[in-house]
Amino acid sequence: MCNLVQKYNIPGPRYTSYPTVPYWDINTFSGKEWEHTLIKSFKESNATEGISLYIHLPFCESLCTFCGCHKRITKRHEVETPYIQAVLKEWQLYCNMLPEKPIVKELHLGGGTPTFFTPENLQALINGIFKKAERAAEYEFSFEGHPNNTTKAHLQALYNVGFRRVSYGVQDYNSTVQKAINRVQSFENVKNVTEWAREIGYTSVGHDIIFGLPHQTLQHVEETILKTKELLPDRLAFYSYAHVPWLKGNGQRGYKDEDLPTATQKRDQYEKGKNLLAKVGYKEIGMDHFALENDSLYQSMVTNNLHRNFMGYTPSKTQVMIGLGVSSISDSWYSFAQNVKSLEEYNHLVFNNIIPIYRGHILTQEDVVIRKHILNLMCRLETSWSNKNEEFAQLSETLDKLQEMKNDGLIEISSTKLTVLDKGRPFIRNICMAFDVLLHQKTPQTRLFSMTI
């Protein structure tokens, strides 16, 4: 495995979309075409599967230095109400455009730190959303909570408006690692918020754990997993730290590159964690995710309904996903659109009745086909085709690129199917990269992506 890690540890996308954002054709994108594809897709799918909503709440009181997300650091909580008003205004603009009332199947509050907002304001936000929308018969609402500032009142308020899933950012319990990433939180805090959620009635509690963090050792990962075992969250994201300090606005500082584990050490950390989780009863889901058998993510994997989008892995697919708030990305299935990243520009646009997108991509027919294959690999660890000469022009070339991975025992390839073997799971990003026609057509001149291992 050590030689394979060294061989395949290269920069690569995480494939929450295809094409990936750096390869969007922004020159042929237009707001009008985005609206056209959104309405088309909405008509095709709203009545049968509903839509997903992602709401980005960007505020944090302090900067976590492992974070690569878009955020605004402030302790001024008077920003809450104006921001909620702006998000609801943006939602109104979308609802005015759509031909009928949206049926919301999935709703996720991400950040930033959603629990930066008061329970009352979060409840007002959700109530405002559903003045113009309906809940699907079977819906899943979730939010990200910070263990240090999530209160019982937060959990109860969101439970009262339909939330049944919460995920907490744990990262690592070691004090040295926590100080390096400026995320100091005790096991007691995580225990409290986990137990409160269960007392209130949440059916899925998740923890996020990261390996490959600065100063992190194999022992630290083992200790974190053993503490996690005590609380037995229903779902776990156990993923590799993405070191991308070159991205504008990134807060990854306070440590040096040499403070990070090597690729081989990171892989050892993952294998150790995965083996410990398997002993407890966790099942591996797609890439970097684990769940107990009672969790909807595991059940969706068993029934082949697992889906992946800009919110990560979800238990079911919706053709339309609308992102609200600064920097949010929307997906109409036929196109992608991203909101402006400046809070001031976002407010200016929405209150002038303009949907605040600034870039996007209209998918070609080839994009749609390749996206299907990458989604299949990410969610089902296999993909198939009926006639490789008719699938997409570069499929034969793609399969040629994969021969070395086949020889290394990572995948199996037949005349109509590709299957990822257990040995190949750590290299799923590399396997998907072989299908990424745009990545091969234009090799990036600068670093765009984190390392795959």
Side-chain angles (χ1 to χ4, degrees):
M1 180 65 79
C2 178
N3 290 336
L4 291 175
V5 168
Q6 293 172 354
K7 181 177 182 178
Y8 291 111
N9 188 38
I10 59 175
R14 299 190 68 84
Y15 291 111
T16 48
S17 73
Y18 181 83
T20 57
V21 175
Y23 288 92
W24 285 0
D25 186 351
I26 58 176
N27 295 319
T28 60
F29 177 81
S30 72
K32 285 293 181 187
E33 186 64 17
W34 156 247
E35 292 179 14
H36 170 74
T37 65
L38 177 62
I39 293 169
K40 174 179 184 287
S41 192
F42 181 86
K43 287 178 178 178
E44 291 172 352
S45 63
N46 183 54
T48 55
E49 64 185 28
I51 71 166
S52 294
L53 272 186
Y54 172 78
I55 305 177
H56 188 65
L57 302 175
F59 303 109
C60 299
E61 287 198 345
S62 62
L63 177 67
C64 300
T65 56
F66 68 90
C67 179
C69 300
H70 181 79
K71 60 270 181 186
R72 175 71 69 96
I73 308 301
T74 181
K75 292 184 184 295
R76 295 175 53 246
H77 284 263
E78 58 266 32
V79 300
E80 294 183 34
T81 299
Y83 186 75
I84 287 172
Q85 291 170 344
V87 167
L88 291 176
K89 175 64 175 178
E90 183 188 4
W91 178 232
Q92 179 184 327
L93 295 175
Y94 272 111
C95 291
N96 291 346
M97 179 208 310
L98 298 173
E100 62 187 32
K101 216 171 191 180
I103 301 170
V104 179
K105 184 175 186 179
E106 293 182 333
L107 189 154
H108 184 71
L109 304 181
T113 306
T115 46
F116 172 96
F117 288 74
T118 67
E120 295 76 17
N121 278 337
L122 290 173
Q123 203 167 54
L125 169 64
I126 302 306
N127 287 334
I129 292 291
F130 285 100
K131 285 180 180 177
K132 299 182 178 300
E134 297 176 7
R135 290 169 169 79
E138 295 183 8
Y139 60 85
E140 182 171 285
F141 296 173
S142 57
F143 76 98
E144 299 165 13
H146 193 315
N148 285 356
N149 69 10
T150 300
T151 64
K152 269 188 176 179
H154 280 114
L155 289 160
Q156 188 66 59
L158 288 171
Y159 182 89
N160 290 347
V161 290
F163 284 72
R164 297 296 181 268
R165 191 171 78 77
V166 56
S167 61
Y168 298 116
V170 173
Q171 327 320 343
D172 188 285
Y173 285 114
N174 179 266
S175 60
T176 300
V177 176
Q178 288 187 353
K179 288 173 185 174
I181 62 175
N182 198 34
R183 181 68 175 244
V184 178
Q185 58 195 18
S186 67
F187 175 75
E188 194 64 29
N189 282 1
V190 178
K191 183 174 185 288
N192 285 339
V193 293
T194 298
E195 292 178 348
W196 290 342
R198 286 177 169 150
E199 287 171 14
I200 288 169
Y202 282 76
T203 54
S204 179
V205 179
H207 288 182
D208 293 351
I209 300 171
I210 303 178
F211 61 93
L213 288 167
H215 307 296
Q216 194 178 41
T217 67
L218 193 62
Q219 183 180 353
H220 295 154
V221 171
E222 183 173 1
E223 290 170 351
T224 293
I225 296 292
L226 291 175
K227 285 182 178 292
T228 300
K229 177 183 173 183
E230 292 182 39
L231 302 179
L232 209 64
D234 304 273
R235 187 182 299 187
L236 280 167
F238 180 47
Y239 59 94
S240 169
Y241 164 61
H243 192 53
V244 286
W246 57 86
L247 293 182
K248 183 179 178 183
N250 196 289
Q252 293 178 346
R253 56 181 181 264
Y255 46 87
K256 303 172 185 175
D257 286 2
E258 53 264 36
D259 295 328
L260 300 171
T262 65
T264 302
Q265 289 170 333
K266 284 178 72 176
R267 201 63 230 167
D268 289 344
Q269 290 176 356
Y270 183 79
E271 293 299 330
K272 168 63 78 173
K274 182 175 81 168
N275 291 336
L276 288 171
L277 292 171
K279 289 178 182 178
V280 179
Y282 287 96
K283 305 296 183 182
E284 192 168 9
I285 312 288
M287 180 182 74
D288 301 342
H289 282 68
F290 296 80
L292 297 175
E293 291 188 2
N294 67 317
D295 191 82
S296 61
L297 205 61
Y298 172 77
Q299 293 161 7
S300 70
M301 182 188 72
V302 171
T303 57
N304 277 336
N305 289 316
L306 190 67
H307 184 57
R308 183 170 173 82
N309 57 25
F310 289 106
M311 296 191 294
Y313 283 107
T314 65
S316 59
K317 169 185 165 290
T318 62
Q319 195 164 300
V320 171
M321 190 196 87
I322 295 176
L324 303 176
V326 291
S327 80
S328 284
I329 300 178
S330 298
D331 176 2
S332 74
W333 197 253
Y334 304 110
S335 64
F336 303 122
Q338 183 171 22
N339 282 354
V340 296
K341 296 183 178 182
S342 160
L343 183 58
E344 292 73 20
E345 185 179 6
Y346 173 79
N347 287 333
H348 172 76
L349 290 170
V350 296
F351 286 113
N352 280 280
N353 298 313
I354 300 169
I355 291 178
I357 57 177
Y358 82 105
R359 65 174 175 178
H361 177 87
I362 308 299
L363 276 74
T364 65
Q365 185 55 43
E366 180 180 87
D367 291 340
V368 172
V369 173
I370 294 173
R371 179 188 193 183
K372 175 193 72 174
H373 287 298
I374 289 177
L375 267 174
N376 285 342
L377 289 167
M378 279 284 177
C379 297
R380 297 173 180 83
L381 301 173
E382 64 179 30
T383 193
S384 60
W385 52 90
S386 55
N387 185 329
K388 73 177 182 180
N389 295 320
E390 297 176 1
E391 191 71 8
F392 66 96
Q394 297 87 350
L395 180 57
S396 293
E397 185 181 337
T398 295
L399 297 177
D400 288 341
K401 289 189 182 84
L402 287 162
Q403 285 304 311
E404 192 165 358
M405 291 187 186
K406 180 182 177 183
N407 295 338
D408 285 333
L410 308 183
I411 56 176
E412 287 181 348
I413 304 176
S414 71
S415 59
T416 59
K417 188 176 182 181
L418 184 155
T419 303
V420 180
L421 303 175
D422 283 346
K423 187 178 175 182
R425 290 188 77 136
F427 307 99
I428 187 67
R429 290 166 70 181
N430 302 78
I431 296 165
C432 290
M433 285 168 68
F435 284 82
D436 193 335
V437 169
L438 296 174
L439 182 67
H440 295 290
Q441 286 176 349
K442 187 179 179 182
T443 304
Q445 301 302 305
T446 57
R447 281 287 297 275
L448 297 176
F449 306 111
S450 62
M451 305 299 279
T452 55
I453 308 298

